[in-house]
Structures are given as structure tokens and as C-alpha cells.
């Protein structure tokens, strides 16, 4: 393994350790020292890779974008096929409902409220997902030769809001065991007038 590969591996290990710290202690309660200890690196080495926690959370936004890329590629390839659009929504919903993803989403939202740069990074990811879904919903309406009750952009926003709020509830209430019924994205599209 060459030096660049080792450096990239070390960065990935630090990010994974930071995520575990954020999940366990919260973003603000986690110190750079906590992250260094969890990653098994010196504090100086951690600062060589990341000048502070904000840089780490911005790297998490990049990692989120990379994790979403295969889902968005499948959505773009669906060419408006309803079953494929619903499959994307189900996959996105499953991803968002993962306890770690949902809990981290709560931490990220809190940090977005405090830090405009962090908000911009995560909002760019959200806009990318929303635009890809809106494009797919438009192609689906064209394919089915119907005029949707709501614009595809508004449909995408409502569906994503429902999926993400369901995931946030899971992130906030999972420890208490209060889980509601799972959201089914397919019928949600029908409720929004996405069926002709």
C-alpha cells in the first residue's frame, strides 16, 4: 500500500471513529481528543488530517453524497418506470431508517442550525436527491401520460420530507422503543396524486 492509499485509509478510519463518537456522545460533547483516541491516532496526527470538528462534519457530508450516489444513479436509470421509482424510495427510506443514519441526522440537523457552512454542505446533498427524484417523477408522469396534481418538485419535497421525518422520529425515539408504523413510500405517491 503506497503512502497516498495509507493516508486515505487513515482518513476513513478517523471519520468512522468520529461518527461513532458523534453517535455515542453527540457532536458537541465529542472532543477532538475523543476522536483521536477512538481512531487510535495522536491528537497531532488527527489535526494533520482535520483542523477541527467542523472539517470532520464537512467530510461526513462528502461521505453522505458518495453513499447516495449509487441510489441516485439507479433512479436516473429508471427512466420514469414506476416500480423503479418506488424501489428507489424504499431503498432511500431503508437507508434513512438505519438507527445510526437516523441518529446522526439529528446531530447533523442541530449542527446545520448553528453553522451555515455545514448547512450548505448537507443542503447540497438534499437538493441533489430532491432534484433527482423530481426528474424521475416528471419522467414517470410523462411515461404514464398524466398530469400530476402537484409539480414534480413539490411531490419530491413532500415525499422526502415524509421519509426523513420518519427517520428522525426513529433516531429520536428508538431508545424508548416507541416505533410507529413503517412509512410505505409507494402509497404516499398515490396520496399526492402521482397516479393517473
Amino acid at each position: 500500500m503506497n503512502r497516498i492509499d495509507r493516508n486515505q485509509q487513515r482518513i476513513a478510519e478517523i471519520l468512522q471513529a468520529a461518527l461513532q463518537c458523534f453517535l455515542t456522545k453527540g457532536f458537541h460533547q465529542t472532543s477532538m481528543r475523543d476522536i483521536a483516541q477512538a481512531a487510535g491516532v495522536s491528537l497531532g496526527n488527527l489535526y494533520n488530517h482535520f483542523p477541527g470538528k467542523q472539517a470532520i462534519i464537512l467530510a461526513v457530508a462528502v461521505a453522505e453524497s458518495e453513499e447516495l450516489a449509487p441510489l441516485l444513479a439507479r433512479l436516473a436509470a429508471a427512466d420514469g418506470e414506476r416500480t423503479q421509482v418506488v424501489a428507489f424510495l424504499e431503498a432511500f427510506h431503508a437507508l434513512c431508517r438505519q438507527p445510526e443514519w437516523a441518529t446522526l441526522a439529528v446531530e447533523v440537523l442541530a449542527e446545520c442550525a448553528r453553522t451555515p457552512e455545514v448547512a450548505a454542505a448537507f443542503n447540497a446533498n438534499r437538493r441533489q436527491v430532491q432534484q433527482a427524484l423530481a426528474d424521475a417523477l416528471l419522467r414517470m408522469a410523462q411515461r404514464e401520460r398524466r398530469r400530476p396534481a402537484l409539480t414534480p418538485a413539490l411531490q419530491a419535497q413532500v415525499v422526502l420530507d415524509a421519509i426523513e421525518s420518519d427517520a428522525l422520529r426513529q433516531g429520536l425515539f428508538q431508545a424508548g422503543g416507541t416505533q410507529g408504523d413503517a412509512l410505505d413510500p409507494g402509497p404516499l405517491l398515490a396520496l399526492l396524486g402521482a397516479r393517473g
Side-chain angles (χ1 to χ4, degrees):
M1 184 181 295
N2 66 32
R3 184 172 182 249
I4 294 172
D5 290 340
R6 280 194 310 270
N7 193 39
Q8 292 296 357
Q9 181 179 351
R10 175 62 67 194
I11 289 170
E13 290 167 357
I14 290 169
L15 281 177
Q16 189 58 43
L19 289 173
Q20 287 305 312
C21 290
F22 297 159
L23 288 168
T24 304
K25 296 177 80 171
F27 181 77
H28 278 281
Q29 291 76 21
T30 297
S31 68
M32 289 294 277
R33 186 172 304 282
D34 293 331
I35 296 168
Q37 287 176 339
V41 298
S42 70
L43 193 55
N45 193 355
L46 175 61
Y47 278 110
N48 284 336
H49 294 292
F50 297 100
K53 285 194 301 183
Q54 183 173 328
I56 293 172
I57 201 86
L58 290 172
V60 170
V62 171
E64 177 188 66
S65 177
E66 291 168 355
E67 188 164 356
L68 290 170
L71 280 176
L72 297 179
R74 281 199 323 254
L75 181 61
D79 195 32
E81 175 64 41
R82 176 177 290 277
T83 58
Q84 295 302 312
V85 173
V86 171
F88 161 79
L89 292 172
E90 289 169 345
F92 183 69
H93 186 234
L95 177 66
C96 290
R97 279 184 63 117
Q98 290 176 5
E100 297 82 13
W101 184 284
T103 302
L104 188 60
V106 173
E107 290 295 322
V108 165
L109 280 176
E111 192 55 28
C112 285
R114 294 181 191 100
T115 312
E117 188 177 359
V118 172
F122 283 95
N123 283 336
N125 291 349
R126 176 50 148 73
R127 279 191 308 276
Q128 185 180 17
V129 173
Q130 187 172 335
Q131 185 60 56
L133 180 56
D135 292 345
L137 292 171
L138 176 60
R139 287 192 304 276
M140 188 172 78
Q142 291 168 341
R143 176 184 264 253
E144 295 175 357
R145 299 181 201 279
R146 62 174 173 73
R147 188 177 163 110
L150 301 173
T151 66
L154 188 54
Q155 280 181 353
Q157 180 180 335
V158 169
V159 170
L160 292 176
D161 285 349
I163 288 171
E164 291 165 343
S165 68
D166 180 65
L168 285 177
R169 275 193 306 281
Q170 295 305 309
L172 290 170
F173 302 119
Q174 70 179 349
T178 21
Q179 290 191 5
D181 294 333
L183 177 71
D184 186 350
L188 181 58
L189 284 178
L191 286 174
L192 293 173
R195 276 206 188 274

